[in-house]
Amino acid sequence: MDAMELVGGRRLQGRVRASGAKNAALPIMAASILADGPMRLKNVPDLMDIRTMTRLLTALGVRVEREPDGDLILKCTSSRKSEAPYRIMKTMRAGICVLGPLVARRRKVRVSLPGGCAIGDRPVDLHLKGLRALGADLGIEHGYIVGDGKRLRGAEMYLGGPFGSTVTGTANILMAAVLAKGVTVIDCAACEPEVQDLCRVLLKMGAQIQGIGSPRLVIEGVDGLAGCEHAVIPDRIEAGTLLLAGAATGGDVTVEGARWSDLFALVHTLREAGAEVEHFDDTIRVRSRRRLKSVDVTTLPFPGFPTDLQAQMMATLTAADGISVVTEKIFPDRFMHVAELSRMGARIRKEGNAAVVHGAKRLSGAPVMASDLRASAALVIAGLIAQGKTNITRIYHLDRGYEKIELKLGRLGAKIRRYKES
Ligand code: EPZ
């Protein structure tokens, strides 16, 4: 198994590019099930989750090929395969994104409920509520969502849950509604940039969608959808992680593929903490000459502060002056990183869905273990600012969402290397 070693204490400096967004690419790949022609996707990162989605789509009769120039070509065969097996679904929750397209296109479905997750409960009740509103007859049997549908009909629905909107739930309903007969209205739809990117792909395929980027999406069903070509948006979470690494190390880092419109919650938070942040077309530069100050952060659905940057923000705040309160309003149990950061000397007290971070004491490098994707990214940031050596094991979690992270950080001056655990 791969592990990572970091020697902390270096200021990061330079320019780096964020890869394509994993969480945009995954549902867009699933949309290939809806297409009558081939899809050509550019800027799809080469990551474990993308390979898992490729396996899942292949099992569902989609031919997926990576061309030498990096483009991903997806061609849906006329297959009637409609089983998303547990052996694949257990490794990646985003596999649930095939549910909407399968219900709309193949009608008969057998999709395994996704596996457990380190960041807390992740129900799919809202996905089912929305699809049932469209007329899908779905039940749960032996751990599988099963259904034997007919043509769907447009409907009005409210997709808000106890923690706000649902990102992959909105994606699923959208991908079913585009082929339903009549008009569908989704209220409390997720507004995340990844959902907007999926909408843009569906438009290119011939779908009719209004209200993109707002919490009310109005979809008029069409009879069929064509293939298309699309460049996936850059990964705002990877970009945000690199900016935080720059700010945490007192560095000067410019990230290309960092769009202000996707990242303003982070940018304002960094400014509040005393960092200088400038933004250009799709580039953001962060400089932090002085020690950062404490800030309070609350995660919320977009355009609020993203839960996927909460752990990395917390690692950064361990080096800030003062006391910060980090409140998690999307996944109230998403604090697996707290115990590992504490092993590195961070002073963090967990209180319900919040963590109180006493900053300023310098972390000390230690052997730590990655528990989930973003928690691993937090440990990388902690390793960059800590005194001495940090060894992170189980970095396959990191590899699920960050393409060539050690090369990118290395180019910015980090002392970081990947090695095989003995
Ligand atoms: C997406 O997950 C992302 N994954 C997650 O990124 C991200 O953390 C999350 O959105 C929130 O932004 C992908 O896009 C592949 P949700 P998703 O449905 O869609 C509750 C990462 O690190 N809920 O928006 O599964 C749910 O429990 C990953 O890259 C219901 O109650 O998240 C949560 O509290 C991790 N019922 C809230 O809604 C439902 O049916 C938001 O979840 C669905 C969700």
Side-chain angles (χ1 to χ4, degrees), residues 383-396:
L384 290 171
I385 55 182
Q387 194 167 29
K389 217 182 256 181
T390 295
N391 292 80
I392 311 176
T393 49
R394 299 203 179 171
I395 58 159
Y396 53 84

Side-chain angles (χ1 to χ4, degrees), residues 13-328:
Q13 236 169 335
R15 231 179 150 81
V16 66
R17 171 167 282 283
S19 302
K22 160 184 93 73
N23 288 349
L26 292 169
I28 291 173
M29 287 173 73
S32 64
I33 294 173
L34 299 168
D36 286 326
M39 282 175 78
R40 175 181 285 270
L41 299 179
K42 298 181 174 296
N43 209 26
V44 177
D46 186 12
L47 295 170
M48 189 52 81
D49 277 10
I50 299 294
R51 290 193 279 274
T52 306
M53 182 57 99
T54 298
R55 270 203 299 142
L56 179 57
L57 289 172
T58 305
L60 290 166
V62 178
R63 269 211 307 278
V64 187
E65 274 163 35
R66 185 70 88 160
E67 297 223 312
D69 62 1
D71 288 5
L72 209 62
I73 312 290
L74 300 101
K75 277 187 212 148
C76 187
T77 63
S78 56
S79 163
R80 302 183 65 76
K81 290 178 187 160
S82 56
E83 168 152 348
Y86 176 68
R87 78 186 140 77
I88 305 179
M89 296 290 286
K90 71 177 179 196
T91 59
M92 185 186 68
R93 296 197 57 89
I96 195 70
C97 291
V98 299
L99 179 64
L102 287 178
V103 168
R105 199 69 204 278
R106 310 227 168 131
R107 301 196 184 166
K108 215 177 161 74
V109 296
R110 203 173 127 74
V111 174
S112 167
L113 286 163
C117 182
I119 67 175
D121 272 356
R122 298 185 67 185
V124 293
D125 55 313
L126 295 169
H127 300 235
L128 298 181
K129 174 182 163 184
L131 292 171
R132 284 178 180 142
L134 295 175
D137 182 13
L138 297 174
I140 295 190
E141 283 173 17
H142 309 296
Y144 276 75
I145 302 167
V146 290
D148 202 350
K150 40 190 181 312
R151 174 139 195 218
L152 304 176
R153 288 192 167 271
E156 291 181 1
M157 66 185 77
Y158 173 73
L159 269 198
F163 303 99
S165 50
T166 161
V167 173
T168 50
T170 302
N172 258 332
I173 312 308
L174 260 168
M175 289 191 277
V178 287
L179 286 182
K181 196 172 163 56
V183 176
T184 297
V185 180
I186 309 177
D187 275 312
C188 203
C191 305
E192 269 69 4
E194 294 77 15
V195 176
Q196 297 180 33
D197 207 33
L198 171 66
C199 287
R200 281 190 290 270
V201 169
L202 293 169
L203 287 182
K204 286 182 183 173
M205 292 165 73
Q208 307 251 3
I209 306 169
Q210 280 168 22
I212 296 173
S214 83
R216 164 172 272 228
L217 292 171
V218 181
I219 304 122
E220 190 164 348
V222 295
D223 288 330
L225 293 166
C228 74
E229 184 173 318
H230 184 74
V232 172
I233 53 168
D235 196 314
R236 64 188 168 113
I237 305 302
E238 187 202 353
T241 304
L242 293 165
L243 289 169
L244 282 165
T249 58
D252 179 352
V253 169
T254 300
V255 182
E256 294 169 14
R259 307 191 313 173
W260 157 257
S261 55
D262 295 351
L263 279 162
F264 52 77
L266 173 69
V267 169
H268 283 294
T269 308
L270 279 171
R271 283 180 179 159
E272 224 183 294
E276 287 169 45
V277 192
E278 291 173 277
H279 59 92
F280 313 94
D281 285 349
D282 78 337
T283 300
I284 298 180
R285 176 181 187 185
V286 67
R287 273 176 293 180
S288 75
R289 286 188 253 252
R290 290 177 298 277
R291 204 177 178 75
L292 294 176
K293 295 177 290 195
S294 57
V295 279
D296 291 345
V297 181
T298 301
T299 66
L300 289 169
F302 189 81
F305 193 95
T307 173
D308 290 348
L309 284 174
Q310 181 256 107
Q312 303 90 310
M313 187 77 219
M314 194 185 297
T316 304
L317 289 174
T318 61
D321 270 327
I323 298 173
S324 308
V325 180
V326 178
T327 308
E328 176 56 64

